[in-house]
Amino acid sequence: MKILTHWLRHYLPTLSVTDRQLADDLTLRGIAVEGVHPLGDSNGSLFEMDITTNRVDAMNHYGVAREAATIYGLPLEPLHPKLPVGTLVDAPFPVRIAPEARGLCGRFTAQVLSDVTIAPSTGLVAEYFNLLGQKQISNAVDASNFTLMGMGHPTHAFDLDKIEGGIVVRLARKGEKLRLLDGTERTLEADDLVVADEKKALALAGVMGGWDSMITAETKNVLVEAAWFDPVSVRRSSRRHLLHTDASHRFERGADINAAPIANALVCQLILQAGGKLEGELVDVIDPDVAARTANRPAIELHVSQVKRHLGATIAPEGITSEIISRFLSSLGCQMLLHGLDVYLVQLPSWRLDLEREIDLVEEVARVYGYNRFANTLPAPLPVTDYPEARAEHAVRTRLLELGYSEAISSSFASQSDSDLFANTCKGTVAMENPLSEEASLLRPSLVPGMTTMLSHNLNRDVREVRLFEQGQIFTGNTEAVTETPQLSLGVTTAPTQRTPLYPAQDAPIFELKGAIESLLSLFDLPAENDPPSLATGEDVSSQPEAASTAAVAVGSAVSFTSEAPAWLEPGRSATALLNSKPIAWFGELSQSQTQQRKLRQPVYLAQIDLARLYELPLRRAISRELSRFQGVERDFSFVFPDAVQWHTIAAALDSLAFPELQSRKPVEVWRDPKKSPGVYSLLLRCVFQSFDRTLRDEELTSWSTSIIETLTKLGGTLRA
């Protein structure tokens, strides 16, 4: 944004500091001046400024002048337009807000000017526009642009003779056509807000005026409009029609509802300098509900003691006093009423919608006072206490890093389309009151959309081997009651791998995710089994009995898997992990429709884990014991089993033998040959025997081995020769 110091000094005639000093002082107070360009002794300097989105009040010369007046304690010239008395009319110009537009147009002011002269701009308008490099069109159009740059409120001038009847602010009719000032014809949607007459749309409200009612050299009568439009409505229309204008930039961030009459009068004053007269008085239509939540917000209690507590010691010995607080906030536009010895009741200015709480006022005092003027002190030592889930969160993060995953962080926002697909709709979604874009209109109800975006980002940069995880909060409920829930998302995409004895190459990432989930679950003390565990992940994956036989190896019998999965996963190539029959994780390949829609270059595999349920379980405690001084003995058993016999059945049968000396039993190799031996698989089982008080004898090992062979044979296994 460009700001002229010559224009600033018009509002601050007693400002004596140099332009360079002014730039430095504004920057220290958060009104960043990124460049200072001298324009000559009499013309001052041109400031290149970067104003944050929450400070729409400072996106103009008067707003920056107000900041400078607060910093230096100077009087600010008031905005008092001087207009002639309007001629008497039989009835005011008709303006109404349609019922469906209530809340979307909070205020609409209209002033009729007759017998105007449309001519090139002169005086301060021409001078300042030349210094800014601003294109000049005509005095009527330039007056609107001059007012926007001067005091920050958008306005518009209509050719009154092209308006049929009065003004109606309404929602567009679906399919309605509107030709805009840029010459393009737009097809409107039913939720586009328009300024119309009794027969047609005249302007896309808050974005751009229409071609049919624009000011031309032949214009004789003008209707000047200044209004307040809902930020969400303006942003929606601006994004839909790919129009970002100076007006929409302000309205999207929250305009000042009380600025409309002043802005209207300023435009009228500039137009009338070339000739013309006022017809009647200003028409001012206000929605009291919008005014109540913007200009007439309840006062905030500000405790002087809280300001001092938050801000601490200053370099100056007197510190932050009650007088300093009152002077700063009053200069910024707040109305201060002393309510007791230590408390102010602060009525907020209508142009500062970013101020909502006491702490916001404390920050304003600190900002204007200058952060460089606070003493460098250390806070008193406080006891540090971990939040309840800290150990569990650290354990999950450490395990995933050990498994080769990299931690990532995605946006906390999501689009409506992603929410519809990935969210748990029964828990509700939380819409942003004033979103920056359609893609960030909701607080994220799931981590999966962000994970998919990060995987796509890597693939688009030719990184074909990616393993990511993200721990974060998701948000459900509604705007009245928001619930934050911890969730974990895993994302894998890899180049094609080699086939293994367990599964085909294309299934490897799915089983990798399954293994990661089992590994994470193994960190916690799982409850006892309620239902028999099983694995049925769909036709493609479940057709691999070797993988099915290894289900629940790491996590115990409390965990099972089912083929049911959410819509964003590909049917038959996805699964749900159940903890005591209740879902705790979903994993598998992203659906083909989403892969195509997101233009992913190769398959993507995702997992979503409910950390809230997982954190309800205690972490497993590491237990150490003394190592045996006696030699352990390994025995291998090679069996052939039917596909229906799964590993958890084999493990349970071996555990039932209750040999104290059986220290471990694990599958070393699993393989199958569907052509030669369909319906069966081969298992190489390794058992380790060891005693803590003696050396094992051959007859003991023979007896235990015989029992193991008999037990596995009863399960349907056949000992390989």
Side-chain angles (χ1 to χ4, degrees), residues 665-676:
R665 73 288 184 279
K666 62 181 179 180
V668 179
E669 293 183 15
V670 181
W671 71 96
R672 72 193 302 260
D673 189 343
K675 295 182 179 180
K676 293 183 178 179

Side-chain angles (χ1 to χ4, degrees), residues 626-656:
E626 185 180 356
L627 297 176
S628 175
R629 296 177 296 167
F630 301 95
Q631 181 69 34
V633 180
E634 292 182 353
R635 288 290 186 266
D636 290 345
F637 303 89
S638 184
F639 269 82
V640 177
F641 284 101
D643 288 346
V645 180
Q646 300 181 359
W647 167 252
H648 70 87
T649 304
I650 298 172
L654 294 175
D655 293 341
S656 67

